Amino acid sequence: MNLSHIEHIGIAVKSLDEAIPYYENVLGLKCYAIEEVADQKVKTAFFKAGQTKLELLEPTDPESPVAKFIEKRGEGIHHLAFTVDGVEQALEEVAEKGVRLIDKKPRPGAEGLNIAFLHPKSTFGVLTELCEKK
Ligand code: CMX
C-alpha cells in the first residue's frame, strides 16, 4: 500500500472540557477544531504539535467504542492513523495478507476524511486507522 505519514494519534478522554486545558495550558498547544462524528459516536478536539496531529476523543454514547475502551483500559492512547493513497484498495491488500478488518469499506471520519479501522488483535495491539482525504 502507499502509506505516506501518520495522520494523527487518537487519544481517548472522558471529557474534552477537562482534557483540553491540559493540552493548552500545560503543553501550550492550541485546540484548532472541535467536531462531532456521529457515525463514530465521538466528539473530537484537534491539536498540532509540530507536524503531528493529536485527536482527543470523548464518547457521546455509553455504547460507543471509545466509551468501552475507557471503561476497560482507562483514558489514554486509543489509535494510530496513517494516511494512505486509496483506503479501499489498502483494505483489500491488508485483508489478503490476513489482517482482520473492522471496516470492510471506508466510512466518514472527522475533518472530511474517509477512514477504516484494522483490528488491534491482528496489528500487534495497536488499533490502526487508514485514512485519506475524500
Ligand atoms: N487499542 C488496542 N486494543 C484494544 C482497543 C484499542 N483501542 N480497543 C479494544 N482493544 C482490545 C480489547 O481490550 C480486547 O482485548 P482483550 O480481549 O485482550 O481484552 C480486544 O481488543 C477486543 O476487544 P472486544 O471486546 O472484542 O471488542 P470491543 O468491543 O472492545 O471493540 C474494537 C474493540 C477495536 C473492535 C472497537 O473499539 C472498534 O470497532 N473500533 C473502531 C472504531 C473506533 O474506535 N472509533 C472511535 C474513533 C473514531 C475516530 O477517530 O473518528
Side-chain angles (χ1 to χ4, degrees):
M1 81 172 80
N2 194 355
L3 186 161
S4 56
H5 60 280
I6 291 178
E7 212 286 330
H8 63 266
I9 299 168
I11 300 166
V13 298
K14 288 180 189 162
S15 156
L16 289 183
D17 285 346
E18 285 174 23
I20 286 172
Y22 164 72
Y23 286 87
E24 292 200 320
N25 303 334
V26 179
L27 299 185
L29 304 176
K30 177 92 192 89
C31 175
Y32 67 86
I34 292 189
E35 184 183 341
E36 186 159 343
V37 185
D39 191 47
Q40 297 285 344
K41 300 190 176 82
V42 285
K43 201 157 85 172
T44 60
F46 287 98
F47 301 83
K48 269 186 194 138
Q51 302 281 344
T52 307
K53 198 196 284 179
L54 305 178
E55 178 188 41
L56 301 188
L57 302 152
E58 176 193 301
T60 54
D61 184 300
E63 289 306 308
S64 73
V66 174
K68 284 193 197 161
F69 174 87
I70 292 173
E71 200 182 298
K72 201 165 181 183
R73 302 163 69 116
E75 293 174 298
I77 293 183
H78 177 261
H79 67 267
L80 199 52
F82 296 106
T83 295
V84 297
D85 192 7
V87 175
E88 208 152 351
Q89 195 190 326
L91 288 175
E92 278 174 29
E93 273 179 41
V94 299
E96 272 169 26
K97 289 177 180 167
V99 173
R100 183 168 152 203
L101 307 182
I102 292 173
D103 300 301
K104 297 203 166 49
K105 294 263 175 233
R107 40 184 182 153
E111 298 203 305
L113 297 174
N114 275 331
I115 65 170
F117 285 93
L118 312 182
H119 201 283
K121 285 294 170 192
S122 64
T123 57
F124 298 89
V126 178
L127 175 60
T128 300
E129 178 181 342
L130 303 179
C131 50
E132 68 180 340
K133 270 269 174 234
K134 274 182 202 161

